[in-house]
Amino acid sequence: VGRALTAALPDAVGLTRAQCDIARPTGVDWAAFDVVVNAAAYTKVDAAETAHGRVDAWRANAGGPAALAAQARAHGTTLVHLS
């Protein structure tokens, strides 16, 4: 979804997981953006039922969006979360 959005929106800046850990979204100049679209998600349903997978799923689907929301709030940025 993220790659498709980046392709459809020529002025968009797409960040990979390596460039931005949404659970710890530091190192990004959030003030440079008016809108942030979060398309990150953990979708391995079976793996999410394991101890390690549960941590990864929570990080991507709950903790990450919460951290992004905190950054958006702090910088007056609109956050759009796709789920």
Side-chain angles (χ1 to χ4, degrees):
V1 173
R3 286 188 290 271
L5 284 169
T6 302
L9 303 168
D11 293 335
V13 175
L15 300 178
T16 65
R17 186 180 322 162
Q19 294 170 308
C20 179
D21 175 357
I22 66 167
R24 292 191 186 117
T26 58
V28 175
D29 181 11
W30 295 105
F33 301 100
D34 295 322
V35 177
V36 171
V37 178
N38 175 33
Y42 186 88
T43 59
K44 300 175 189 172
V45 177
D46 291 337
E49 295 184 9
T50 67
H52 181 72
R54 192 172 301 115
V55 171
D56 290 343
W58 184 264
R59 182 179 182 88
N61 296 342
L68 288 177
Q71 288 293 329
R73 188 178 324 108
H75 294 96
T77 303
T78 298
L79 173 64
V80 177
H81 175 74
L82 304 177
S83 177

